[in-house]
Amino acid sequence: MHRAYLFLLLCNLLWAGNIIFGKLVTSELTPLWITFLRWFIAILILVPITQLLERPNWMGILRKHWRPLALMGIFGGILFNGLTYIAITYTSPTNVALISALMPAFIMIFSVLFLHEKVGITQILGLALSFFGVVFILTGGAPYQVFQTQYNLGDLLMLVVGLCWAIYSILAKKLSHVTPLTATTISSCFAVLFMLPFLPFSPVDLVQVTTMGWVGILYIGIFATVGAFVLWNISVCELGASKSSISMNLVPVYTGILTIFLGGQLAVSQVIGGLIVFGGMILTTNLVQFGLVHKKTVRNLHNRVG
């Protein structure tokens, strides 16, 4: 169980790096080509690794589960990533990371509706606390101005991205009997196949891509795709979609840290908001498992609320 939480911490760090590199790469390649190269690189690594470690019955799995795997490729491979890169061209990496904090809310709602997962009072409170932390960051320490903020096309697209990720996470949970590595590999292949027919309509000159651009593509393909998606799917299978989703509130925090590391600056409100987000994540992931809260205390709290 603790391994899954560690995987989530690392997974979201890799995704924060994807946002930083994504902003760089979108100046040299179209979102479609970035998404295609991301998954093409990924399957070059995933297919041999999966065959070596698990030796799955490829055709048997495809015959039985091709529909949900294909949908995972569409929603998690193409739409989630492609729309994110489009959003980055209109808004800042910080905004992309901050708005992504709405994804846990989508996933929690979908998990209750379609997976019948039970959501406790601590999860609801943790989600609310984390979301407040993100609003605190987004509004510069003035959350009462949240409805006065003007959002651009990139911000709105991130809302659609959140819905796509919620659908992907639900599909991953329903495929819990297919190993995370195999599911990621097959859905990646579907994503690449589905994008192939559209590449000629988005021509690019790969020769003109700079060295830093290729470094960004390699990072996105290897670490933000192979590493992050496998870690995510393992965690979803062990913890459930709603619990795992709360950790995505760490992406804005990680993005802020990376911004400082790269020479940028953070406001005091971003630091305070980041701490609130982290506190909400700890609360939601069930403090009982870490021995920080006695089980009887949680039971009493649930009884009072119920």
Side-chain angles (χ1 to χ4, degrees), residues 103-120:
M103 294 182 193
F106 292 137
I107 295 176
M108 184 174 290
I109 293 172
F110 276 44
S111 296
V112 172
L113 292 177
F114 300 108
L115 298 180
H116 307 291
E117 289 189 4
K118 294 182 179 180
V119 178

Side-chain angles (χ1 to χ4, degrees), residues 17 19 33 38 45 48 51 81 91 100 122 131 154 185 187 266 275 280:
I19 294 175
W33 271 96
R38 171 179 189 162
I45 300 171
Q51 179 62 28
N81 294 281
T91 189
S100 69
T122 53
F131 182 75
T185 301
S187 62
L266 288 180
L275 293 174

Side-chain angles (χ1 to χ4, degrees), residues 56-96:
N57 181 0
W58 299 100
M59 295 309 299
I61 294 174
L62 281 172
R63 280 195 297 267
K64 190 174 182 180
H65 306 294
W66 72 269
R67 289 182 181 84
L69 288 168
L71 289 174
M72 286 175 67
I74 293 173
F75 287 99
I78 300 175
L79 295 178
F80 173 75
N81 294 281
L83 292 178
T84 297
Y85 296 130
I86 294 175
I88 291 177
T89 63
Y90 290 97
T91 189
S92 67
T94 302
N95 266 26
V96 168

Side-chain angles (χ1 to χ4, degrees), residues 24-30 204-205 208-214:
L24 169 67
V25 177
T26 51
S27 64
E28 303 187 27
L29 291 169
T30 64
V204 295
D205 187 359
Q208 299 300 318
V209 179
T210 65
T211 301
M212 185 56 67
W214 284 115

Side-chain angles (χ1 to χ4, degrees), residues 98-305:
L98 291 172
I99 298 174
S100 69
L102 293 175
M103 294 182 193
F106 292 137
I107 295 176
M108 184 174 290
I109 293 172
F110 276 44
S111 296
V112 172
L113 292 177
F114 300 108
L115 298 180
H116 307 291
E117 289 189 4
K118 294 182 179 180
V119 178
I121 185 62
T122 53
Q123 284 182 275
I124 296 174
L125 291 176
L127 177 62
L129 183 61
S130 295
F131 182 75
F132 176 76
V134 172
V135 172
F136 192 89
I137 297 171
L138 189 61
T139 58
Y144 56 85
Q145 295 182 355
V146 64
F147 296 110
Q148 301 174 12
T149 303
Q150 293 183 349
Y151 301 100
N152 60 28
L153 178 60
D155 297 332
L156 296 177
L157 281 175
M158 286 307 299
L159 296 176
V160 181
V161 169
L163 290 173
C164 292
W165 188 248
I167 295 173
Y168 174 85
S169 298
I170 298 304
L171 290 168
K173 179 61 177 177
K174 280 185 171 294
L175 278 174
S176 57
H177 46 284
V178 178
T179 65
L181 181 58
T182 297
T184 303
T185 301
I186 297 178
S187 62
S188 302
C189 292
F190 273 118
V192 170
L193 288 175
F194 291 151
M195 283 184 282
L196 276 174
F198 298 96
L199 293 179
F201 300 99
S202 181
V204 295
D205 187 359
L206 297 179
V207 177
Q208 299 300 318
V209 179
T210 65
T211 301
M212 185 56 67
W214 284 115
V215 169
I217 287 293
L218 289 174
Y219 172 87
I220 291 172
I222 297 173
F223 296 101
T225 304
V226 177
F229 271 71
V230 171
L231 292 173
W232 173 262
N233 285 339
I234 292 174
S235 301
V236 167
C237 288
E238 293 188 13
L239 301 176
S242 57
K243 274 190 179 181
S244 299
S245 67
I246 301 301
S247 69
M248 298 183 75
N249 284 321
L250 285 174
V251 173
V253 179
Y254 284 141
T255 303
I257 294 173
L258 290 174
T259 299
I260 295 177
F261 182 77
L262 295 174
Q265 294 182 343
L266 288 180
V268 174
S269 60
Q270 290 175 307
V271 176
I272 296 175
L275 293 174
I276 296 174
V277 168
F278 189 69
M281 194 202 78
I282 293 177
L283 179 62
T284 308
T285 50
N286 194 348
L287 298 179
V288 175
Q289 294 173 1
F290 297 97
L292 299 179
V293 177
H294 196 275
K295 291 183 179 180
K296 185 176 180 180
T297 303
V298 177
R299 284 198 301 269
N300 289 340
L301 181 59
H302 279 276
N303 291 335
R304 290 175 184 175
V305 174

